[in-house]
């Protein structure tokens, strides 16, 4: 989307994603993070991607969308990402009926806002079905992958966790540098809006351009020793969350989730997390979405 249609959707969804609205989710996300860390400690370990990063991101976006507690969010996520996994149409039918009942959705949730938003460009009722799918998938996939990268970084280098524990600015620096160093979404497609020249190549209006975010974020002409993760480097804007009109709508939520995961690790660090656990992991994988797929600390 671009132009009027894009602005209409951004305006309709902004109420659930601006910094203040997201901050209202802090207590709930903190409680979720702490409960999952306690469970991991009680069972003597586990996969930090599957048992912490993924469910934290999924339940956070589900809460902002407005699904009530008890909803089988995992089933809905599979439906949202797989697209063809609802073979008998039961989920689609149920969601369509649910979207046709505005009273079923809390007024402050995203769907509640959309159902009450009077703009023909965004639609209402069952017309919001693709929107719910998109919010579930994009609100889970990039955030949980960035959380997995963050966990990999701080558990591989205790100095990073110490930097994050120092104060809020230290945590912010670690999070932003992790986003730059290994962004969860490595590329996006865009249309060239006007004729221009880039690095000697002529681009015409309407040309399809593949923007390599991961490469841009390690531009050696912009960052010294760009391949090194260094939260103490001079902060410069990066492209992990995009820029301009299409900047990531959920960037404040992603930052809050990351901050709470770091804070949760810091709170449990002495008894639960050793200085440097051995991580059972395949490392970073993926060409579109990129992150460690599993992180199992051993000590």
């Amino acid at each position: 989307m671009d132009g009027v249609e894009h602005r209409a959707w951004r305006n309709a969804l902004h109420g659930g994603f601006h910094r203040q609205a997201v901050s209202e989710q802090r207590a709930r996300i903190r409680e979720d993070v702490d409960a999952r860390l306690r469970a991991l400690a009680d069972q003597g370990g586990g996969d930090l991607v599957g048992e912490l990063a993924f469910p934290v991101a999924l339940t956070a976006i589900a809460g902002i969308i407005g699904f009530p507690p008890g909803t089988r969010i995992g089933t809905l996520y599979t439906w949202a990402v797989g697209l063809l996994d609802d073979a008998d149409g039961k989920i689609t039918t149920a969601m369509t009926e649910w979207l046709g009942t505005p009273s079923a959705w809390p007024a402050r949730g995203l769907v509640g806002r959309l159902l009450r938003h009077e703009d023909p460009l965004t639609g209402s009722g069952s017309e919001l079905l693709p929107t719910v799918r998109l919010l579930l998938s994009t609100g889970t996939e990039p955030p949980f992958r960035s959380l997995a990268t963050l966990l990999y970084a701080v558990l591989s280098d205790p100095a990073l966790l110490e930097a994050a524990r120092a104060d809020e600015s230290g945590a912010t620096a670690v999070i932003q540098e992790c986003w730059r160093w290994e962004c969860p979404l490595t590329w996006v497609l865009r249309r060239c809006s006007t004729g221009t020249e880039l690095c000697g190549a002529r681009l015409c209006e309407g040309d399809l351009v593949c923007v390599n975010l991961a490469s841009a974020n390690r531009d050696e002409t912009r960052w010294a020793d760009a391949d090194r993760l260094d939260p103490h480097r001079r902060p410069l804007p990066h492209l992990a969350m995009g820029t301009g009109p299409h900047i990531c709508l959920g960037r404040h939520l992603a930052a809050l989730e990351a901050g709470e995961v770091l804070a949760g690790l810091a709170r449990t660090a002495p008894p639960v997390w050793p200085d440097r656990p051995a991580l059972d992991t395949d490392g970073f994988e993926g060409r579109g979405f990129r992150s460690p797929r599993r992180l199992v600390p051993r000590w």
Side-chain angles (χ1 to χ4, degrees):
M1 294 182 188
D2 271 307
V4 174
E5 185 182 25
H6 181 247
R7 285 193 296 273
W9 276 103
R10 293 285 293 207
N11 290 339
L13 294 171
H14 177 71
F17 283 113
H18 63 73
R19 195 185 301 272
Q20 183 177 346
V22 165
S23 69
E24 296 174 2
Q25 307 293 323
R26 184 181 300 278
R28 183 169 57 82
I29 292 173
R30 178 172 297 177
E31 182 180 352
D32 189 28
V33 168
D34 285 349
R36 295 183 188 284
L37 284 172
R38 284 195 302 270
L40 285 164
D42 291 344
Q43 68 189 31
D47 177 16
L48 296 175
V49 177
E51 297 178 62
L52 179 64
F54 178 80
V56 163
L58 177 58
T59 54
I61 189 60
I64 285 180
I65 290 172
F67 290 114
T71 304
R72 299 185 65 179
I73 305 300
T75 300
L76 290 178
Y77 176 78
T78 302
W79 158 78
V81 175
L83 301 183
L84 300 177
D85 291 340
D86 184 26
D88 55 10
K90 289 184 179 179
I91 297 176
T92 301
T93 300
M95 282 296 303
T96 300
E97 293 177 358
W98 207 358
L99 288 169
T101 312
S103 60
W105 301 86
R108 294 180 65 83
L110 283 176
V111 171
R113 293 174 188 272
L114 289 171
L115 289 173
R116 295 163 180 81
H117 188 75
E118 296 182 358
D119 191 325
L121 285 174
T122 58
S124 62
S126 61
E127 296 171 329
L128 295 177
L129 192 65
T131 305
V132 175
R133 276 185 158 173
L134 185 64
L135 287 168
L136 268 175
S137 58
T138 59
T140 303
E141 187 94 14
F144 100 73
R145 290 182 179 277
S146 64
L147 287 176
T149 294
L150 181 67
L151 286 163
Y152 174 92
V154 299
L155 291 177
S156 298
D157 183 357
L160 290 174
L161 187 56
E162 288 303 313
R165 293 174 72 173
D167 52 37
E168 186 175 346
S169 63
T172 298
V174 170
I175 293 166
Q176 290 290 337
E177 175 67 354
C178 277
W179 285 354
R180 179 203 68 83
W181 179 63
E182 279 286 358
C183 54
L185 180 62
T186 62
W187 56 269
V188 294
L189 293 175
R190 291 289 182 262
R191 289 284 179 184
C192 189
S193 61
T194 186
T196 188
E197 186 174 301
L198 179 66
C199 299
R202 185 66 188 170
L203 300 176
C204 299
E205 180 180 353
D207 281 353
L208 188 62
V209 180
C210 180
V211 183
N212 192 319
L213 305 176
S215 178
N217 280 353
R218 294 201 184 190
D219 183 351
E220 63 277 3
T221 66
R222 184 172 178 81
W223 289 280
D225 198 6
D227 291 337
R228 182 168 60 91
L229 195 161
D230 178 11
H232 302 294
R233 66 171 76 246
R234 182 169 67 92
L236 292 171
H238 54 72
L239 291 180
M241 295 293 163
T243 187
H246 290 274
I247 192 170
C248 177
L249 193 63
R251 63 194 184 281
H252 299 308
L253 177 60
L256 177 62
E257 293 169 3
E260 289 305 318
V261 165
L262 282 179
L265 285 176
R267 284 192 294 272
T268 60
V272 180
W273 309 104
D275 287 339
R276 191 186 294 272
L279 291 176
D280 182 4
T281 176
D282 295 328
F284 295 94
E285 295 182 345
R287 297 181 62 184
F289 290 114
R290 180 169 166 80
S291 68
R293 298 183 187 276
R294 60 187 177 88
L295 287 172
V296 182
R298 294 178 176 174
W299 52 84

